[in-house]
Amino acid sequence: MKRNGYYNVGNEMNEAGFCPDCPTQTIYDPPIVQYEDYYHPQLVNVVQNIETIKQHHCCPVYKHYYTHSEKNVMVSSRRGGKPKASSKKRSKK
C-alpha cells in the first residue's frame, strides 16, 4: 500500500525509486608497489684451494705360524683299545 509516496514494508516506509542526493566521496588506499626484476650477467672469479691430507693407518694383518710334533703310542691288538663293559650286572655271592 502506498501512502504519501512511500510503500509500507513491515514497519518501514520506503519510497519507490527514491535516491537521496548523497555526496560522492573519494578515498585513497596506500599505493601498491610493483617490482620488475632485470638480471644482467656479472663475472665472479671464485678461487677454491684444495688441500690433500694423506692419512696413514695401521691395520692388523694376521700371519699364522704352525708348529708340528710327533709322538709314538703303543696300542694293543684289540679293536678300540679298551675292553667293553658288560651291560648285565653281576650279583655277588
Side-chain angles (χ1 to χ4, degrees), residues 5-56:
Y6 291 96
Y7 286 102
N8 186 3
V9 179
N11 293 333
E12 296 179 18
M13 302 290 269
N14 292 327
E15 183 178 331
F18 176 75
C19 183
D21 187 18
C22 296
T24 303
Q25 291 184 336
T26 303
I27 60 170
Y28 293 94
D29 281 340
I32 296 173
V33 178
Q34 181 177 341
Y35 293 97
E36 290 183 4
D37 294 326
Y38 297 92
Y39 298 95
H40 305 281
Q42 177 188 15
L43 181 63
V44 177
N45 293 318
V46 177
V47 178
Q48 179 68 55
N49 184 29
I50 299 174
E51 179 181 10
T52 301
I53 298 174
K54 296 181 179 182
Q55 296 180 342
H56 299 269

Side-chain angles (χ1 to χ4, degrees), residues 72-88:
N72 294 312
V73 177
M74 188 62 115
V75 180
S76 70
S77 61
R78 286 189 277 167
R79 287 190 172 186
K82 290 185 179 180
K84 291 185 178 180
S86 173
S87 61
K88 295 181 183 176

